[in-house]
Amino acid sequence: MSTPTFPTYASFAELLQAVDAGEGGREILNPATGQRVGFADTDTVADLNAAVETARAAFESFSTTTHEQRCAMLMAAADAVDANAEPLAELLSREQGKPLNGPNARFEVGACSAWLRATASFELEPEVVVDDGQTYSTLTYRPLGVVGAIGPWNWPMMITVWQIAPALRMGNTVVVKPSEYTPLSVKALVHVINSALPEGVLTYVSGDREIGAALSEHEDVDKIMFTGSTATGQKIIEASAPTYKRLTLELGGNDAGIVLDDVDPAAIAEGLFWGAFINTGQTCAALKRLYVPDSIYDEVVDALAEFAKNVPMGEGLDENNVLGPLQNKAQYDIVADLVEKAKAAGARVVLGGEPDQEQKGFFYPTTLVADIDPDNALVVEEQFGPALPIVRYSTIDEAVEMANSLDVGLGSSVWSSNRERALQVAERLKAGTTWINNHGAVDPRIPFGGAGHSGYGVEFGVDGLKGLGQPHVISG
Ligand code: NAD
């Protein structure tokens, strides 16, 4: 067996020390306990400029490497992530708040190596577009240059990999700017991945919106991969316009799920629950509003409540928990406010809805709100937390109309025991993805992106790779 060339860390504390986050800088606290996790750098625009300069210099030779060489680097990066999976997961759990177990921190770190490997596996051959005896045209994708990767705080490691893996595979160099709420997880991940890359190819800058804005308008950055809110996405479009930057925008969503009247409520309860409550509801493509027919409304609500009431929520390092806190106070306030508005409008709280004021940390209980007006704020605004509104409908046309009534359209789902019926409804939904009998199952081979204000461009698969390349046609 060959000796690994990457470092391995025995604990999250060792890993933090290796990335120099043990002391000095901005204090980062665990959202579940308020305890200090570590310190984040407070980089300036000058630091950002230096990072872009480094990335530009590294681009010169990195862009001449072959796909084969870059795929080997991604595979080695995946090995390095796997070798450090436990300290990475522990750091993520402490900083983001998500539990180690369930579809949470360990799952997220596992997804990082899985996506690195999958991205290395895609075939991207030069395409002969026309060959008719008179014209011979080929289409290839060249590296674009320097890519800026700006990410959110909900799945900080996994989304960073979604952005950087295709960028690197296509021969670009990358400057990563993580969310100011989860900088340490991303710094540690970048450090581990860097053990498999030439120097300067992947750099990290810590900072808030000012640094993100500076990256978006930087004249020597060729593309921004952005995942975050719809409002910030719009600012990035504006900031990037003068330099004609390419953009992939994965923005906010408010995914609808439509249950058809032929389901077995008990059989779909678990799938509905995790569709809505994965990562304690802090997921872009989570089920955020559920439409259920009158004829089985009570059965579906009861089955969901029965499942939901037994799912343990608490501190992330406790191996029993699979739901955690909201990552930050601002998000907690949004969720609490939306549930209060639903209550004030007369909606029925079936589960949760009353946070324990004595509890430390930003915990909001698993909440199901039934008999809610379709225009209530909890339905039409993105809650991004553990509170699911369940709306009644009487005809499928009505359900489809309500599902399609918002300007966002990331994911959606249809739940039915009859695939043909489900497909007929799925085809009518305005969204980047419509899942049948699940919600939010992403796969590195399957393109993922938004409709409407949920963004544009796709990630994953060969289509995702193409988004990180400059198309070049040679015709003659
Ligand atoms: P956010 O928009 O507040 O922040 C995202 C990132 O943008 C952060 O790194 C932030 O520092 C940076 N930023 C803020 N202002 C900026 C500016 N003017 N210019 C450049 N960068 C700037 O989003 P968030 O609260 O971190 O994330 C939650 C949102 O992200 C939700 O709406 C969620 O639906 C969405 N999201 C979407 C996807 C997807 O794939 N579509 C995935 C995860 C999260």
Side-chain angles (χ1 to χ4, degrees):
M1 216 173 97
S2 62
T3 323
T5 52
F6 43 80
T8 51
Y9 301 98
S11 66
F12 100 96
E14 237 184 60
L15 180 57
L16 271 188
Q17 218 170 8
V19 297
D20 204 16
E23 51 195 80
R26 189 168 57 86
E27 204 177 28
I28 299 290
L29 306 178
N30 182 332
T33 62
Q35 283 169 353
R36 181 197 298 150
V37 182
F39 293 92
D41 306 315
T42 46
D43 289 333
T44 61
V45 172
D47 295 317
L48 169 74
N49 292 338
V52 173
E53 215 175 296
T54 300
R56 177 57 61 191
F59 179 70
E60 208 173 302
S61 65
F62 192 62
S63 58
T64 66
T65 55
T66 62
H67 273 284
E68 211 176 23
Q69 288 169 321
R70 298 193 295 265
C71 289
M73 291 177 205
L74 293 183
M75 296 298 273
D79 291 344
V81 169
D82 281 344
N84 289 288
E86 198 55 20
L88 283 169
E90 192 180 331
L91 172 56
L92 177 62
S93 175
R94 285 172 186 266
E95 185 182 50
Q96 205 284 336
K98 64 180 68 188
L100 287 170
N101 283 330
N104 293 297
R106 289 183 179 126
F107 170 86
E108 179 166 351
V109 174
C112 291
S113 53
W115 249 268
L116 285 162
R117 290 199 177 94
T119 308
S121 74
F122 303 136
E123 305 248 339
L124 183 61
E125 297 298 331
E127 199 181 320
V128 178
V129 204
V130 176
D131 179 9
D132 63 3
Q134 284 181 319
T135 303
Y136 187 80
S137 289
T138 55
L139 171 61
T140 56
Y141 291 84
R142 291 175 164 181
L144 278 166
V146 176
V147 173
I150 304 177
W153 47 259
N154 57 341
W155 292 90
M157 289 187 176
M158 185 175 77
I159 287 173
T160 298
V161 168
W162 289 0
Q163 298 177 330
I164 68 175
L168 297 171
R169 164 71 199 269
M170 296 304 288
N172 305 289
T173 55
V174 186
V175 176
V176 173
K177 204 302 282 176
S179 166
E180 52 274 42
Y181 288 111
T182 49
L184 303 181
S185 302
V186 176
K187 190 175 190 188
L189 177 76
V190 165
H191 171 76
V192 168
I193 290 177
N194 257 330
S195 62
L197 298 174
E199 212 171 314
V201 164
L202 178 63
T203 52
Y204 165 92
V205 183
S206 178
D208 57 12
R209 57 194 53 216
E210 188 198 351
I211 301 295
L215 186 56
S216 310
E217 65 189 27
H218 201 294
E219 60 183 25
D220 213 15
V221 172
D222 299 280
K223 163 134 193 168
I224 297 288
M225 296 290 286
F226 174 71
T227 301
S229 64
T230 296
T232 304
Q234 193 174 50
K235 289 193 185 126
I236 290 178
I237 296 169
E238 287 164 7
S240 65
T243 48
Y244 299 88
K245 278 184 189 56
R246 276 57 181 158
L247 300 176
T248 296
L249 301 175
E250 296 286 3
L251 310 179
N254 193 346
D255 291 9
I258 299 180
V259 172
L260 303 190
D261 60 8
D262 55 35
V263 298
D264 170 359
I268 62 165
E270 183 172 357
L272 286 176
F273 177 82
W274 285 114
F277 291 89
I278 184 167
N279 202 27
T280 316
Q282 301 161 102
T283 298
C284 51
L287 203 178
K288 291 174 180 152
R289 44 195 177 113
L290 183 62
Y291 296 93
V292 179
D294 278 325
S295 57
I296 53 164
Y297 188 84
D298 292 338
E299 290 86 335
V300 171
V301 171
D302 290 350
L304 193 49
E306 191 54 34
F307 185 86
K309 72 178 192 209
N310 294 319
V311 183
M313 177 186 285
E315 214 234 302
L317 299 180
D318 180 334
E319 301 271 351
N320 291 318
N321 294 328
V322 290
L323 295 170
L326 272 311
Q327 203 283 326
N328 53 71
K329 177 74 166 59
Q331 195 60 45
Y332 176 96
D333 288 344
I334 290 172
V335 175
D337 178 55
L338 287 172
V339 174
E340 288 311 311
K341 280 181 176 149
K343 283 189 206 167
R348 176 165 62 98
V349 176
V350 179
L351 185 71
E354 292 293 340
D356 177 355
Q357 304 297 345
E358 303 296 306
Q359 193 176 15
K360 247 186 165 178
F362 306 130
F363 288 98
Y364 196 89
T366 302
T367 298
L368 297 174
V369 181
D371 295 321
I372 184 166
D373 188 322
D375 298 326
N376 188 276
L378 179 60
V379 180
V380 298
E381 289 174 24
E382 187 186 32
Q383 71 277 54
F384 214 61
L388 179 68
I390 309 170
V391 179
R392 280 179 192 272
Y393 76 84
S394 36
T395 66
I396 289 184
D397 284 349
E398 187 195 355
V400 168
E401 194 184 322
M402 288 191 285
N404 287 342
S405 66
L406 304 182
D407 52 17
V408 285
L410 189 56
S412 57
S413 58
V414 184
W415 303 73
S416 171
S417 57
N418 179 329
R419 189 170 168 78
E420 278 313 306
R421 282 187 81 207
L423 287 175
Q424 279 170 17
V425 177
E427 280 162 13
R428 299 173 63 189
L429 294 179
K430 180 185 85 178
T433 304
T434 301
W435 288 279
I436 311 267
N437 293 330
N438 86 73
H439 198 115
V442 287
D443 180 319
R445 299 165 301 178
I446 304 175
F448 175 72
H453 295 191
S454 289
Y456 48 73
V458 291
E459 296 185 289
F460 314 163
V462 176
D463 294 299
L465 291 184
K466 290 178 177 174
L468 271 307
Q470 172 58 52
H472 186 213
V473 171
I474 299 181
S475 197

